[in-house]
Amino acid sequence: MHNYRIALIPGDGVGQEVIPAALRVLNRAAEITGTFSLSTHEFPWSCEFYVRTGAMMDADGLKKLTDFDSIFLGAVGYPNVPDHISLWGLLLPIRQSFDQYVNLRPIKLLPGIKGPLRDKSPADIDMLFIRENTEGEYCGHGGRLHVGTPDEVATQTAVFTRKGTERIVRYAFDRARERRKILASCTKSNALNYSMVFWDEVVADVSHDYPDVEVTSYLVDALSARMILRPDTLDVVVASNLFGDILTDLGGALQGSLGLPASGNINPERRYPSMFEPVHGSAPDISGTNSANPLATIWAGIMMLEQLGETEAASLVMSAMERVVAGGKTLTADLGGSSTTSEVAQAVADALPV
Ligand code: NAI
Ligand code: MG
């Protein structure tokens, strides 16, 4: 039996409610499979911590996290602290220092959920987005000159390295190989005549190692339309940091509620812990009412189990979650129900086979 050390960072707002709820489900899955256990350590890092101490995390916080197998995060951000402080004080340092260069986002319409597309069913919407998470358009290079004058200049430079591009593309081919063996590469090489031409070349180079995977390049604008009109033709999608950011929000919308999408920030080499989180934020408008949907966090937990290698437990929890959603009886308000956070989590735990 393997014991995994999990760092918990519930963070702010509903993060404090969904993390314990999801953990109950994961622990139940551990009990049932009997193949692993989770030992958790909770860190109080959050906006509240910032207000108290002047920092989002301990000065040696990254060092403290290094020895964990995974990080399970709720949400950070609260109206009393500017968002750039909470983001740059906690989430981004973790993603960057731990070289979590893959941002993994399953986009799947669950049976029983009414998505926003009139004639699309769960069979049509099942994609896996792989977003580059460390460089590209979000590398932070640039500057401003003659600020506030008529001669003002602002530059924001995207940086694409061969190492950074190749490793994300290779990761995507590997995932495509495990699924429908089709890969969509998101590009814009008509207008971005250096970075995206380079991106396309790397995709073509890497594709030689994956003759069994069919890869198609789509311009990002056409790809966004395709996600709405022909989502059934998409399976694994690989995109740069900016394009992936935008397209995954569109994808999240296709899932029918912000209470569902989950994401993983992954260091595939396992040199550092990976971090799993719901996509939504701290939802200050509903926090403290036990009404947040815990499913996004449970889904993030499923991704964490997969990455830890506990694939049986991961698929058991996924099926349990799908049964609860399809049953339609125990749902939170965002999905049209009236159940609480704890009731939904309990229903998923109870739906696990004993
Ligand atoms: P949000 O995701 O917190 O909320 C947007 C809307 O969705 C709200 O109406 C909220 O009630 C609803 N919602 C969110 N999660 C839900 C859930 N699990 N169940 C039911 N309804 C849910 O985004 P918002 O309001 O823009 O941001 C609030 C704070 O969260 C900000 O400080 C922001 O910076 C932070 N944030 C943090 C993120 C993170 O930690 N990764 C991601 C997004 C926002
Ligand atoms: Mg985003």
Side-chain angles (χ1 to χ4, degrees):
M1 181 155 99
H2 200 112
N3 179 48
Y4 300 106
R5 298 189 62 220
I6 310 295
L8 300 179
I9 310 179
D12 297 297
V14 299
Q16 295 281 347
E17 301 165 48
V18 290
I19 286 288
L23 209 56
R24 223 172 304 139
V25 176
L26 301 184
N27 280 324
R28 182 80 188 114
E31 261 170 50
I32 286 169
T33 56
T35 55
F36 71 100
S37 59
L38 304 174
S39 63
T40 57
H41 183 87
E42 185 169 326
F43 294 93
W45 304 332
S46 59
C47 289
E48 194 222 319
F49 185 83
Y50 176 84
V51 170
R52 209 153 26 86
T53 68
M56 286 295 297
M57 68 196 298
D58 294 336
D60 61 348
L62 291 169
K63 197 164 158 280
K64 284 186 172 134
L65 291 174
T66 311
D67 290 333
F68 284 88
D69 293 303
S70 275
I71 304 166
F72 199 32
L73 181 122
V76 290
Y78 222 64
N80 57 351
V81 174
D83 283 342
H84 68 271
I85 295 208
S86 47
L87 195 62
W88 282 98
L90 186 66
L91 276 186
L92 293 184
I94 294 175
R95 287 180 188 157
Q96 289 175 350
S97 313
F98 292 161
D99 204 19
Q100 296 168 344
Y101 63 85
V102 176
N103 188 260
L104 197 60
R105 287 272 302 262
I107 304 291
K108 198 167 137 102
L109 182 62
L110 299 181
I113 302 284
K114 201 166 171 308
L117 298 182
R118 187 175 58 216
D119 56 355
K120 300 293 179 216
S121 69
D124 299 313
I125 299 176
D126 184 1
M127 307 171 227
L128 182 65
F129 270 78
I130 291 158
R131 164 184 167 194
E132 204 293 319
N133 214 21
T134 50
E135 55 171 49
E137 306 89 343
Y138 292 177
C139 69
H141 274 223
R144 290 175 66 174
L145 198 59
H146 308 307
V147 177
T149 74
D151 295 323
E152 184 157 3
V153 179
T155 59
Q156 185 90 48
T157 308
V159 172
F160 288 83
T161 65
R162 185 168 286 277
K163 177 182 151 197
T165 309
E166 187 173 330
R167 65 185 183 176
I168 194 72
V169 167
R170 211 167 267 288
Y171 185 89
F173 270 104
D174 285 332
R175 299 291 78 74
R177 196 167 249 180
E178 297 161 357
R179 293 174 45 116
R180 286 168 54 198
K181 297 189 170 54
I182 54 173
L183 174 64
S185 164
C186 176
T187 185
K188 189 65 192 175
S189 45
N190 52 352
L192 299 174
N193 52 341
Y194 301 109
S195 59
M196 284 293 134
V197 169
F198 169 71
W199 174 279
D200 290 355
E201 283 171 15
V202 172
V203 169
D205 283 351
V206 174
S207 74
H208 294 131
D209 294 337
Y210 298 84
D212 51 325
V213 175
E214 188 193 328
V215 59
T216 309
S217 286
Y218 296 101
L219 298 175
V220 60
D221 35 0
L223 184 56
S224 55
R226 178 170 287 269
M227 284 174 69
I228 304 295
L229 299 172
R230 291 298 310 276
D232 54 298
T233 61
L234 297 169
D235 191 62
V236 177
V237 183
V238 63
S240 66
N241 215 330
L242 168 69
F243 293 163
D245 187 9
I246 298 169
L247 292 179
T248 51
D249 260 34
L250 178 59
L254 295 180
Q255 290 181 263
S257 164
L258 202 47
L260 290 169
S263 88
N265 302 276
I266 294 176
N267 173 249
E269 290 76 24
R270 296 160 197 273
R271 256 194 81 197
Y272 303 101
S274 297
M275 175 166 67
F276 299 86
E277 52 176 326
V279 168
H280 64 73
S282 56
D285 53 336
I286 59 165
S287 74
T289 63
N290 195 23
S291 64
N293 192 341
L295 294 178
T297 312
I298 293 172
W299 202 329
I302 293 169
M303 295 171 74
M304 180 166 79
L305 292 179
E306 272 164 4
Q307 213 256 343
L308 291 170
E310 298 298 331
T311 46
E312 188 206 339
S315 71
L316 287 180
V317 179
M318 192 70 209
S319 315
M321 181 167 112
E322 285 176 338
R323 271 197 296 283
V324 168
V325 169
K329 284 208 289 285
T330 315
L331 299 174
T332 44
D334 57 303
L335 293 177
S338 57
S339 303
T340 63
T341 308
S342 349
E343 285 165 354
V344 171
Q346 192 60 49
V348 177
D350 292 342
L352 286 165
V354 266

